[in-house]
Amino acid sequence: RVLEWALARASGQLPASGRCVGWVPTHDGLDIAGLEECPDMEALLSTPTRFWREESAEVRQYFKNEVGDSLPTEMWRQLDKLDKRIEMFADYNVEDDEYHSYDPIG
């Protein structure tokens, strides 16, 4: 289902929703017909700000401690860009405090 969406998206047949981590399907973009249970698309497609802030900080710390000065400058730039996107999309995310109990089926 996801591959079907990705291929249709790449060929310009389906829209996408911009998020801090890139493009994701719109709420009706994935074909969920025939599933035994209908997933909570809001939760499934969420990008919780708090989670991504923590994730970015952990990646940054890992690079600093484990890779150090040998990490290419472009990698630091990409992390900086991710941080900016996380903040840019912060107001878009809902139920940010519930990412630890994520259950897309409900």
Side-chain angles (χ1 to χ4, degrees):
R1 295 169 195 269
V2 173
L3 288 176
E4 181 182 4
W5 173 81
L7 292 172
R9 169 72 183 136
S11 66
Q13 297 173 11
L14 287 175
S17 177
R19 304 291 171 88
C20 64
V21 293
W23 296 100
V24 299
T26 57
H27 291 285
D28 60 350
L30 287 176
D31 177 12
I32 58 172
L35 294 178
E36 289 182 22
E37 296 183 46
C38 186
D40 177 353
M41 296 305 286
E42 185 86 19
L44 185 64
L45 300 173
S46 71
T47 51
T49 301
R50 190 175 71 169
F51 170 83
W52 283 104
R53 281 181 185 141
E54 291 172 8
E55 187 72 11
S56 179
E58 288 177 20
V59 169
R60 189 176 296 278
Q61 192 64 39
Y62 175 82
F63 284 162
K64 182 179 177 183
N65 293 340
E66 301 297 326
V67 184
D69 293 338
S70 63
L71 187 74
T73 304
E74 183 58 27
M75 293 294 290
W76 293 115
R77 284 191 201 122
Q78 289 299 321
L79 263 178
D80 291 341
K81 289 177 181 181
L82 174 60
D83 289 340
K84 288 178 184 177
R85 289 191 310 270
I86 291 168
E87 296 312 314
M88 184 173 73
F89 285 95
D91 291 338
Y92 180 79
N93 299 303
V94 294
E95 300 181 30
D96 218 11
D97 292 332
E98 298 183 14
Y99 78 88
H100 288 293
S101 62
Y102 169 71
D103 179 7
I105 301 300

XYZ file of all heavy atoms in Angstrom:
859
model
N 0.818 -1.194 0.000
C 0.000 0.000 0.000
C 0.862 1.257 0.000
O 0.568 2.205 -0.706
C -0.934 -0.008 1.182
C -1.961 -1.145 1.112
C -2.712 -1.302 2.414
N -3.400 -2.558 2.466
C -4.644 -2.746 2.069
N -5.337 -1.763 1.574
N -5.195 -3.929 2.163
N 1.896 1.224 0.821
C 2.781 2.381 0.873
C 3.572 2.503 -0.420
O 3.738 3.610 -0.948
C 3.716 2.313 2.100
C 4.754 3.415 2.068
C 2.900 2.377 3.390
N 4.049 1.380 -0.935
C 4.774 1.426 -2.206
C 3.871 1.916 -3.337
O 4.320 2.671 -4.208
C 5.351 0.050 -2.547
C 6.534 -0.388 -1.701
C 6.942 -1.808 -2.063
C 7.696 0.556 -1.865
N 2.618 1.486 -3.323
C 1.661 1.954 -4.328
C 1.539 3.474 -4.252
O 1.555 4.158 -5.272
C 0.307 1.292 -4.083
C -0.758 1.699 -5.079
C -2.108 1.048 -4.771
O -2.256 0.348 -3.747
O -3.024 1.267 -5.572
N 1.435 4.009 -3.032
C 1.346 5.463 -2.861
C 2.630 6.134 -3.343
O 2.580 7.129 -4.067
C 1.096 5.844 -1.397
C 1.167 7.323 -1.209
C 0.172 8.225 -1.470
C 2.297 8.089 -0.802
N 0.626 9.506 -1.233
C 1.924 9.441 -0.825
C 3.589 7.754 -0.416
C 2.801 10.459 -0.472
C 4.467 8.782 -0.075
C 4.071 10.109 -0.106
N 3.795 5.591 -2.938
C 5.071 6.204 -3.304
C 5.255 6.254 -4.821
O 5.698 7.274 -5.366
C 6.226 5.451 -2.649
N 4.902 5.179 -5.494
C 5.035 5.161 -6.955
C 4.060 6.136 -7.611
O 4.427 6.845 -8.554
C 4.827 3.745 -7.482
C 5.917 2.744 -7.104
C 5.511 1.326 -7.502
C 7.246 3.130 -7.722
N 2.827 6.184 -7.106
C 1.848 7.129 -7.654
C 2.268 8.565 -7.364
O 2.100 9.461 -8.191
C 0.459 6.844 -7.079
N 2.840 8.800 -6.193
C 3.324 10.133 -5.819
C 4.467 10.545 -6.739
O 4.526 11.666 -7.230
C 3.780 10.120 -4.355
C 4.528 11.335 -3.914
C 3.633 12.542 -3.770
N 4.454 13.673 -3.410
C 4.327 14.863 -3.965
N 3.396 15.098 -4.858
N 5.108 15.844 -3.611
N 5.394 9.621 -6.973
C 6.552 9.924 -7.817
C 6.150 10.248 -9.249
O 6.813 11.039 -9.918
C 7.533 8.759 -7.795
N 5.060 9.656 -9.701
C 4.614 9.929 -11.071
C 3.613 11.084 -11.138
O 3.046 11.348 -12.194
C 4.000 8.658 -11.678
O 2.814 8.306 -10.990
N 3.380 11.738 -9.990
C 2.512 12.915 -9.971
C 1.032 12.599 -9.926
O 0.208 13.483 -10.152
N 0.667 11.370 -9.628
C -0.736 10.979 -9.622
C -1.433 11.223 -8.285
O -2.656 11.294 -8.239
C -0.874 9.502 -9.992
C -0.402 9.201 -11.390
C -0.385 7.695 -11.662
O -0.905 6.908 -10.898
N 0.232 7.319 -12.769
N -0.672 11.304 -7.182
C -1.261 11.502 -5.860
C -0.586 12.649 -5.132
O 0.618 12.870 -5.285
C -1.121 10.232 -5.001
C -2.021 9.062 -5.355
C -1.671 7.853 -4.489
C -3.492 9.426 -5.165
N -1.340 13.383 -4.302
C -0.751 14.475 -3.521
C -0.032 13.937 -2.287
O -0.130 12.755 -1.957
C -1.978 15.300 -3.119
C -3.080 14.300 -3.031
C -2.791 13.295 -4.114
N 0.681 14.826 -1.612
C 1.366 14.484 -0.370
C 1.253 15.652 0.588
O 0.936 16.769 0.197
C 2.826 14.154 -0.643
N 1.511 15.370 1.838
C 1.486 16.384 2.872
C 2.912 16.588 3.368
O 3.590 15.629 3.733
C 0.581 15.914 4.015
O 0.575 16.845 5.065
N 3.377 17.832 3.383
C 4.731 18.128 3.843
C 4.821 18.048 5.351
O 3.959 18.550 6.060
N 5.862 17.409 5.839
C 6.126 17.291 7.276
C 7.609 17.530 7.510
O 8.401 17.583 6.573
C 5.750 15.901 7.800
C 4.325 15.483 7.533
C 3.326 16.300 8.359
N 1.967 16.047 7.943
C 1.189 15.085 8.405
N 1.648 14.269 9.320
N -0.036 14.942 7.958
N 7.983 17.594 8.761
C 9.394 17.866 9.079
C 10.328 16.795 8.523
O 11.487 17.067 8.228
C 9.581 18.033 10.575
S 9.238 16.564 11.565
N 9.843 15.585 8.361
C 10.689 14.490 7.876
C 10.535 14.248 6.382
O 11.126 13.316 5.848
C 10.408 13.187 8.646
C 10.839 13.330 10.091
C 8.954 12.786 8.555
N 9.743 15.040 5.717
C 9.557 14.885 4.279
C 8.093 14.809 3.903
O 7.223 15.273 4.631
N 7.819 14.214 2.773
C 6.463 14.104 2.258
C 5.825 12.802 2.726
O 6.441 11.755 2.651
C 6.467 14.157 0.737
C 6.959 15.462 0.220
C 8.207 15.740 -0.250
C 6.221 16.676 0.144
N 8.287 17.055 -0.608
C 7.076 17.660 -0.386
C 4.915 17.039 0.466
C 6.679 18.969 -0.589
C 4.514 18.349 0.261
C 5.385 19.293 -0.262
N 4.601 12.908 3.210
C 3.848 11.735 3.651
C 2.504 11.736 2.937
O 2.054 12.772 2.428
C 3.645 11.699 5.189
C 4.984 11.647 5.905
C 2.821 12.879 5.650
N 1.845 10.591 2.899
C 0.527 10.554 2.250
C -0.473 11.479 2.941
O -0.374 11.742 4.140
C 0.083 9.094 2.412
C 1.326 8.333 2.658
C 2.243 9.264 3.386
N -1.446 11.955 2.184
C -2.559 12.673 2.786
C -3.431 11.638 3.490
O -3.257 10.438 3.313
C -3.379 13.422 1.719
O -3.813 12.467 0.749
C -2.551 14.505 1.036
N -4.389 12.095 4.294
C -5.211 11.170 5.075
C -5.988 10.179 4.205
O -6.267 9.071 4.630
C -6.162 11.938 5.995
C -5.428 12.648 7.085
N -4.913 11.996 8.171
C -5.083 13.944 7.235
C -4.295 12.858 8.952
N -4.380 14.047 8.405
N -6.301 10.580 2.990
C -7.012 9.668 2.098
C -6.115 9.153 0.966
O -6.585 8.563 0.010
C -8.261 10.338 1.526
C -7.938 11.598 0.722
O -6.778 12.065 0.755
O -8.846 12.118 0.075
N -4.802 9.347 1.126
C -3.859 8.976 0.071
C -3.497 7.511 0.017
O -3.070 7.020 -1.018
N -3.634 6.811 1.133
C -3.322 5.379 1.149
C -4.587 4.567 0.942
O -5.625 4.863 1.527
C -2.694 4.979 2.485
C -1.267 5.426 2.745
C -0.839 5.019 4.144
C -0.314 4.848 1.723
N -4.488 3.545 0.142
C -5.620 2.642 -0.085
C -5.714 1.701 1.110
O -4.883 0.806 1.273
C -5.408 1.854 -1.367
C -6.513 0.851 -1.630
O -7.567 0.920 -0.953
O -6.312 -0.006 -2.504
N -6.733 1.906 1.949
C -6.908 1.046 3.121
C -8.095 0.099 2.953
O -8.486 -0.591 3.893
C -7.048 1.878 4.413
C -8.216 2.841 4.323
C -5.742 2.609 4.712
C -8.527 3.555 5.629
N -8.630 0.049 1.746
C -9.758 -0.848 1.475
C -9.336 -2.294 1.720
O -8.232 -2.715 1.375
C -10.229 -0.686 0.029
N -10.198 -3.041 2.343
C -9.961 -4.452 2.571
C -9.222 -4.772 3.858
O -9.031 -5.946 4.173
N -8.808 -3.770 4.614
C -8.162 -4.048 5.897
C -9.210 -4.495 6.905
O -10.332 -4.003 6.915
C -7.453 -2.802 6.432
C -6.264 -2.288 5.632
C -5.696 -1.017 6.268
C -5.182 -3.352 5.533
N -8.836 -5.434 7.763
C -9.778 -5.910 8.767
C -10.175 -4.805 9.739
O -11.325 -4.713 10.144
C -9.176 -7.087 9.542
C -9.081 -8.351 8.714
C -8.537 -9.508 9.519
O -8.626 -9.477 10.758
O -8.030 -10.456 8.896
N -9.212 -3.987 10.113
C -9.484 -2.859 10.994
C -9.020 -1.588 10.311
O -7.982 -1.566 9.667
C -8.755 -3.013 12.318
C -9.217 -4.204 13.141
C -8.507 -4.259 14.477
O -8.404 -3.216 15.143
O -8.063 -5.353 14.834
N -9.768 -0.532 10.467
C -9.420 0.748 9.866
C -8.424 1.473 10.770
O -8.733 1.762 11.921
C -10.684 1.583 9.678
S -10.373 3.110 8.794
N -7.232 1.749 10.274
C -6.239 2.419 11.112
C -6.611 3.876 11.364
O -7.321 4.493 10.578
C -4.954 2.319 10.295
C -5.404 2.189 8.890
C -6.715 1.457 8.939
N -6.112 4.408 12.449
C -6.267 5.821 12.776
C -5.253 6.580 11.931
O -4.073 6.670 12.279
C -6.028 6.041 14.266
C -6.103 7.501 14.676
O -6.202 8.383 13.797
O -6.049 7.758 15.897
N -5.690 7.094 10.796
C -4.776 7.739 9.853
C -4.129 8.980 10.458
O -2.982 9.296 10.139
C -5.499 8.078 8.547
C -5.982 6.854 7.784
S -4.675 5.659 7.422
C -3.800 6.505 6.131
N -4.828 9.683 11.319
C -4.251 10.851 11.989
C -3.005 10.440 12.773
O -1.955 11.062 12.677
C -5.277 11.483 12.925
C -4.818 12.758 13.572
C -5.067 13.985 12.733
O -5.905 13.928 11.819
O -4.425 15.009 13.010
N -3.133 9.361 13.552
C -1.999 8.879 14.344
C -0.928 8.264 13.448
O 0.271 8.488 13.661
C -2.473 7.859 15.372
N -1.334 7.522 12.465
C -0.398 6.837 11.575
C 0.509 7.821 10.835
O 1.694 7.575 10.652
C -1.169 5.984 10.566
C -0.351 5.099 9.641
C 0.390 4.041 10.430
C -1.257 4.450 8.609
N -0.054 8.942 10.426
C 0.695 9.909 9.631
C 1.250 11.067 10.457
O 1.789 12.023 9.911
C -0.197 10.451 8.506
C -0.715 9.384 7.538
C -1.715 9.987 6.566
C 0.426 8.704 6.813
N 1.142 10.960 11.771
C 1.607 12.052 12.625
C 3.130 12.096 12.685
O 3.812 11.089 12.477
C 1.047 11.904 14.037
O 1.659 10.826 14.697
N 3.646 13.266 12.943
C 5.076 13.472 13.156
C 5.212 14.302 14.431
O 5.402 15.511 14.371
C 5.725 14.193 11.961
O 4.968 15.357 11.651
C 5.787 13.300 10.734
N 5.100 13.662 15.593
C 5.094 14.391 16.862
C 6.348 15.231 17.075
O 7.463 14.715 17.004
C 4.998 13.295 17.921
C 4.529 12.082 17.196
C 5.013 12.221 15.793
N 6.143 16.513 17.327
C 7.255 17.444 17.489
C 8.196 17.010 18.598
O 9.417 17.007 18.416
C 6.714 18.855 17.776
O 5.876 19.252 16.688
C 7.834 19.854 17.930
N 7.660 16.650 19.744
C 8.526 16.281 20.863
C 9.408 15.084 20.505
O 10.608 15.073 20.794
C 7.686 15.977 22.102
C 8.547 15.826 23.350
C 7.715 15.648 24.570
N 7.108 14.311 24.498
C 6.477 13.724 25.495
N 6.325 14.355 26.628
N 5.976 12.521 25.364
N 8.831 14.082 19.865
C 9.615 12.917 19.448
C 10.763 13.337 18.539
O 11.907 12.922 18.728
C 8.735 11.887 18.739
C 9.526 10.797 18.084
C 9.960 9.712 18.824
C 9.865 10.876 16.742
C 10.722 8.704 18.225
C 10.625 9.877 16.140
C 11.052 8.791 16.885
N 10.462 14.155 17.520
C 11.498 14.513 16.550
C 12.541 15.441 17.139
O 13.718 15.396 16.745
C 10.869 15.068 15.265
C 10.325 13.925 14.474
C 9.026 13.546 14.346
C 11.086 12.943 13.781
N 8.932 12.391 13.609
C 10.183 12.004 13.244
C 12.443 12.748 13.554
C 10.609 10.899 12.493
C 12.856 11.657 12.803
C 11.940 10.751 12.287
N 12.155 16.299 18.102
C 13.156 17.102 18.807
C 14.130 16.190 19.546
O 15.346 16.388 19.495
C 12.479 18.042 19.808
C 11.886 19.262 19.190
C 11.275 20.139 20.251
N 10.603 21.269 19.651
C 9.448 21.764 20.085
N 8.847 21.238 21.146
N 8.906 22.794 19.491
N 13.589 15.209 20.270
C 14.429 14.278 21.014
C 15.292 13.443 20.071
O 16.479 13.222 20.332
C 13.564 13.365 21.880
C 12.885 14.082 23.024
C 11.878 13.211 23.767
O 11.806 11.985 23.493
O 11.169 13.757 24.618
N 14.712 12.965 18.998
C 15.441 12.146 18.023
C 16.599 12.923 17.412
O 17.722 12.411 17.312
C 14.484 11.665 16.923
C 15.082 10.683 15.962
C 15.298 9.301 16.564
O 14.810 9.022 17.675
O 15.980 8.498 15.911
N 16.336 14.144 17.017
C 17.382 14.975 16.423
C 18.502 15.235 17.425
O 19.689 15.161 17.077
C 16.787 16.294 15.939
O 17.800 17.107 15.393
N 18.142 15.514 18.669
C 19.158 15.755 19.706
C 19.999 14.502 19.944
O 21.225 14.592 20.118
C 18.493 16.210 21.002
N 19.364 13.341 19.946
C 20.100 12.085 20.146
C 21.043 11.797 18.984
O 22.181 11.350 19.187
C 19.127 10.932 20.339
C 18.421 10.962 21.672
C 17.406 9.843 21.831
O 17.493 8.824 21.101
O 16.522 9.983 22.688
N 20.577 12.035 17.763
C 21.436 11.828 16.594
C 22.622 12.785 16.645
O 23.777 12.386 16.411
C 20.638 12.010 15.283
C 21.561 12.071 14.075
C 19.618 10.898 15.128
N 22.352 14.032 16.994
C 23.411 15.040 17.083
C 24.459 14.614 18.126
O 25.661 14.692 17.889
C 22.808 16.394 17.437
C 23.770 17.556 17.356
C 23.054 18.872 17.638
N 22.049 19.175 16.644
C 22.294 19.727 15.455
N 23.535 20.027 15.120
N 21.305 19.977 14.621
N 23.983 14.151 19.281
C 24.888 13.723 20.347
C 25.703 12.502 19.917
O 26.898 12.422 20.176
C 24.098 13.414 21.626
C 24.960 13.237 22.839
C 25.712 14.498 23.220
O 25.188 15.599 23.141
N 26.954 14.347 23.622
N 25.046 11.572 19.249
C 25.748 10.392 18.746
C 26.862 10.798 17.778
O 28.004 10.330 17.891
C 24.777 9.435 18.062
C 25.476 8.268 17.415
C 25.852 7.163 18.165
C 25.785 8.294 16.053
C 26.516 6.095 17.574
C 26.449 7.236 15.460
C 26.812 6.140 16.222
O 27.480 5.107 15.624
N 26.528 11.648 16.813
C 27.536 12.091 15.851
C 28.694 12.782 16.566
O 29.859 12.550 16.241
C 26.929 13.034 14.817
C 26.101 12.358 13.764
C 25.214 13.104 13.007
C 26.200 11.004 13.516
C 24.438 12.498 12.018
C 25.435 10.391 12.529
C 24.557 11.153 11.781
N 28.375 13.621 17.523
C 29.414 14.359 18.254
C 30.323 13.399 19.012
O 31.549 13.516 18.949
C 28.757 15.344 19.217
C 29.722 16.198 19.990
C 28.969 17.164 20.896
C 29.928 17.985 21.724
N 29.209 18.868 22.653
N 29.724 12.442 19.722
C 30.504 11.527 20.558
C 31.210 10.426 19.781
O 32.328 10.043 20.118
C 29.608 10.878 21.618
C 29.104 11.870 22.629
O 29.660 12.946 22.807
N 28.028 11.520 23.298
N 30.549 9.880 18.774
C 31.072 8.697 18.090
C 31.818 8.991 16.791
O 32.687 8.234 16.398
C 29.930 7.717 17.801
C 29.199 7.249 19.035
C 30.079 6.472 20.001
O 30.983 5.748 19.542
O 29.862 6.603 21.219
N 31.432 10.064 16.119
C 32.045 10.357 14.822
C 32.957 11.575 14.911
O 34.020 11.619 14.309
C 30.962 10.550 13.735
C 31.596 10.762 12.376
C 30.000 9.376 13.718
N 32.530 12.559 15.669
C 33.354 13.743 15.905
C 33.644 14.546 14.656
O 32.796 14.697 13.776
N 34.871 15.023 14.568
C 35.283 15.921 13.480
C 35.312 15.253 12.111
O 35.394 15.939 11.095
C 36.662 16.514 13.773
C 36.633 17.458 14.964
O 35.536 17.965 15.293
O 37.698 17.666 15.574
N 35.256 13.933 12.080
C 35.298 13.265 10.774
C 33.932 13.244 10.083
O 33.835 12.839 8.929
C 35.843 11.842 10.912
O 35.001 11.063 11.719
N 32.894 13.699 10.786
C 31.569 13.773 10.153
C 31.564 14.911 9.132
O 31.954 16.041 9.447
C 30.480 14.020 11.202
C 29.052 13.937 10.667
C 28.666 12.480 10.417
C 28.071 14.562 11.644
N 31.150 14.631 7.919
C 31.119 15.694 6.902
C 30.237 16.871 7.328
O 29.185 16.682 7.949
C 30.529 14.992 5.671
C 30.795 13.540 5.895
C 30.718 13.342 7.381
N 30.674 18.054 6.991
C 29.954 19.279 7.322
C 28.512 19.230 6.832
O 27.606 19.723 7.498
C 30.679 20.500 6.709
O 32.023 20.506 7.177
C 30.001 21.797 7.085
N 28.297 18.620 5.678
C 26.936 18.548 5.119
C 25.987 17.790 6.047
O 24.799 18.102 6.106
C 26.949 17.917 3.726
C 25.592 17.873 3.060
C 24.928 19.232 2.894
O 25.631 20.269 2.795
O 23.676 19.276 2.868
N 26.483 16.807 6.773
C 25.631 16.079 7.720
C 25.165 16.999 8.841
O 24.007 16.943 9.265
C 26.382 14.870 8.290
C 26.672 13.803 7.261
S 25.179 13.006 6.622
C 24.656 12.099 8.049
N 26.062 17.858 9.342
C 25.660 18.828 10.374
C 24.630 19.800 9.804
O 23.654 20.143 10.468
C 26.870 19.594 10.909
C 27.824 18.748 11.685
C 29.116 18.441 11.346
C 27.569 18.074 12.921
N 29.669 17.626 12.301
C 28.747 17.389 13.289
C 26.456 17.979 13.759
C 28.848 16.637 14.447
C 26.558 17.225 14.917
C 27.734 16.569 15.255
N 24.845 20.220 8.562
C 23.882 21.129 7.910
C 22.509 20.470 7.790
O 21.486 21.115 7.997
C 24.376 21.547 6.532
C 25.456 22.573 6.563
C 25.709 23.131 5.149
N 27.026 23.719 5.122
C 28.011 23.365 4.310
N 27.829 22.425 3.398
N 29.170 23.953 4.366
N 22.503 19.191 7.431
C 21.223 18.486 7.300
C 20.518 18.370 8.649
O 19.291 18.507 8.724
C 21.431 17.099 6.679
C 21.794 17.133 5.209
C 20.716 17.790 4.362
O 19.524 17.618 4.582
N 21.146 18.567 3.383
N 21.255 18.128 9.712
C 20.654 18.099 11.039
C 20.097 19.465 11.424
O 19.016 19.566 12.006
C 21.677 17.660 12.083
C 21.661 16.206 12.484
C 22.768 15.904 13.483
C 20.328 15.773 13.025
N 20.828 20.526 11.089
C 20.343 21.887 11.352
C 19.054 22.151 10.585
O 18.103 22.739 11.112
C 21.398 22.930 10.970
C 22.612 22.899 11.883
O 22.519 22.360 13.008
O 23.673 23.409 11.457
N 19.009 21.705 9.342
C 17.798 21.879 8.531
C 16.634 21.087 9.110
O 15.494 21.555 9.125
C 18.050 21.465 7.084
C 18.938 22.423 6.325
C 19.196 21.910 4.906
C 20.094 22.834 4.135
N 20.314 22.348 2.759
N 16.910 19.870 9.587
C 15.860 19.073 10.222
C 15.315 19.804 11.440
O 14.098 19.893 11.620
C 16.390 17.694 10.628
C 15.422 16.826 11.433
C 14.140 16.533 10.651
C 16.102 15.537 11.872
N 16.193 20.356 12.268
C 15.742 21.110 13.447
C 14.841 22.274 13.051
O 13.820 22.529 13.699
C 16.942 21.621 14.250
C 17.681 20.513 14.971
O 17.090 19.430 15.189
O 18.859 20.730 15.325
N 15.192 22.973 11.993
C 14.365 24.088 11.526
C 12.999 23.592 11.045
O 11.979 24.216 11.315
C 15.080 24.858 10.410
C 16.240 25.674 10.916
C 16.961 26.380 9.787
C 18.173 27.105 10.333
N 18.961 27.753 9.282
N 12.992 22.464 10.326
C 11.710 21.912 9.862
C 10.857 21.431 11.028
O 9.638 21.599 11.032
C 11.940 20.785 8.860
C 12.463 21.256 7.515
C 12.432 20.142 6.468
N 13.037 18.899 6.902
C 14.325 18.582 6.754
N 15.160 19.425 6.188
N 14.771 17.404 7.166
N 11.480 20.849 12.035
C 10.742 20.402 13.212
C 10.021 21.587 13.839
O 8.835 21.502 14.166
C 11.686 19.720 14.230
C 12.178 18.379 13.674
C 10.989 19.544 15.576
C 13.332 17.771 14.453
N 10.713 22.697 13.987
C 10.084 23.888 14.584
C 9.043 24.491 13.645
O 7.999 24.962 14.097
C 11.141 24.915 14.965
C 12.079 24.427 16.050
C 11.360 23.797 17.248
O 10.372 24.377 17.732
O 11.783 22.710 17.687
N 9.310 24.458 12.355
C 8.370 25.022 11.385
C 7.042 24.275 11.409
O 5.978 24.867 11.300
C 8.978 24.965 9.983
C 8.109 25.607 8.919
S 8.936 25.704 7.323
C 8.904 24.011 6.801
N 7.098 22.961 11.594
C 5.889 22.147 11.585
C 5.330 21.892 12.982
O 4.357 21.156 13.126
C 6.143 20.812 10.882
C 6.212 20.931 9.395
C 7.432 21.080 8.751
C 5.059 20.901 8.635
C 7.492 21.191 7.372
C 5.115 21.006 7.250
C 6.332 21.160 6.624
N 5.912 22.497 14.008
C 5.501 22.227 15.393
C 4.021 22.498 15.628
O 3.347 21.726 16.303
C 6.353 23.042 16.364
N 3.489 23.560 15.063
C 2.081 23.896 15.275
C 1.139 22.974 14.525
O -0.037 22.896 14.833
C 1.800 25.339 14.846
C 2.469 26.344 15.761
O 2.772 25.969 16.913
O 2.698 27.475 15.323
N 1.651 22.252 13.544
C 0.832 21.363 12.720
C 0.462 20.084 13.453
O -0.552 19.486 13.213
C 1.594 21.029 11.428
C 0.835 20.119 10.503
C -0.177 20.622 9.692
C 1.112 18.765 10.457
C -0.888 19.786 8.845
C 0.410 17.926 9.605
C -0.588 18.446 8.808
O -1.285 17.622 7.981
N 1.331 19.651 14.356
C 1.160 18.364 15.020
C 0.114 18.427 16.123
O 0.021 19.391 16.854
C 2.492 17.891 15.600
C 3.520 17.703 14.504
O 3.277 16.952 13.585
N 4.624 18.402 14.594
N -0.658 17.365 16.238
C -1.679 17.274 17.276
C -1.348 16.132 18.216
O -0.652 15.190 17.856
C -3.086 17.040 16.661
C -3.515 18.231 15.851
C -3.110 15.786 15.811
N -1.853 16.215 19.432
C -1.657 15.175 20.445
C -0.191 14.802 20.577
O 0.172 13.632 20.632
C -2.521 13.953 20.133
C -3.999 14.283 20.112
C -4.861 13.075 19.838
O -4.460 11.959 20.209
O -5.938 13.256 19.262
N 0.652 15.804 20.675
C 2.093 15.627 20.717
C 2.564 14.803 21.908
O 3.575 14.123 21.830
C 2.749 17.008 20.770
C 4.010 17.083 19.955
O 4.282 16.149 19.184
O 4.723 18.081 20.094
N 1.845 14.831 23.002
C 2.281 14.139 24.205
C 1.998 12.647 24.173
O 2.389 11.924 25.075
C 1.611 14.747 25.441
C 2.102 16.155 25.691
O 3.242 16.453 25.307
O 1.348 16.948 26.266
N 1.334 12.148 23.158
C 0.923 10.755 23.147
C 1.752 9.871 22.229
O 1.373 8.757 21.942
C -0.556 10.669 22.764
C -1.445 11.367 23.772
C -2.909 11.234 23.436
O -3.255 10.395 22.589
O -3.699 11.979 24.016
N 2.900 10.333 21.792
C 3.640 9.526 20.828
C 4.182 8.238 21.427
O 4.364 7.267 20.721
C 4.749 10.333 20.153
C 6.003 10.538 20.970
C 7.027 9.607 20.934
C 6.170 11.673 21.747
C 8.189 9.795 21.648
C 7.312 11.865 22.468
C 8.320 10.927 22.419
O 9.450 11.132 23.124
N 4.418 8.175 22.732
C 4.924 6.935 23.329
C 3.892 5.821 23.302
O 4.211 4.661 23.303
C 5.395 7.179 24.767
C 6.660 7.965 24.833
N 7.866 7.476 24.387
C 6.905 9.210 25.277
C 8.799 8.382 24.573
N 8.257 9.446 25.105
N 2.611 6.188 23.286
C 1.558 5.163 23.306
C 0.915 5.010 21.934
O -0.233 4.637 21.842
C 0.505 5.541 24.353
O -0.089 6.782 24.002
N 1.659 5.271 20.903
C 1.142 5.223 19.540
C 0.547 3.860 19.199
O 1.166 2.824 19.398
C 2.274 5.555 18.568
C 1.935 5.274 17.128
C 1.018 6.068 16.457
C 2.481 4.192 16.471
C 0.706 5.811 15.141
C 2.160 3.929 15.159
C 1.266 4.743 14.508
O 0.948 4.485 13.221
N -0.677 3.874 18.712
C -1.356 2.652 18.260
C -2.251 3.038 17.095
O -3.352 3.533 17.302
C -2.185 2.043 19.389
C -2.920 0.789 18.937
O -2.691 0.318 17.811
O -3.739 0.297 19.726
N -1.790 2.877 15.858
C -2.577 3.350 14.711
C -3.898 2.612 14.505
O -4.780 3.118 13.841
C -1.639 3.124 13.524
C -0.733 2.036 13.964
C -0.572 2.228 15.450
N -4.048 1.446 15.078
C -5.295 0.707 14.913
C -6.332 1.188 15.911
O -7.515 1.118 15.683
C -5.045 -0.813 15.066
C -4.036 -1.303 14.041
C -6.343 -1.609 14.950
C -4.445 -1.096 12.599
N -5.884 1.706 17.024
C -6.812 2.358 17.923
C -7.102 1.649 19.169
O -7.919 1.844 19.944
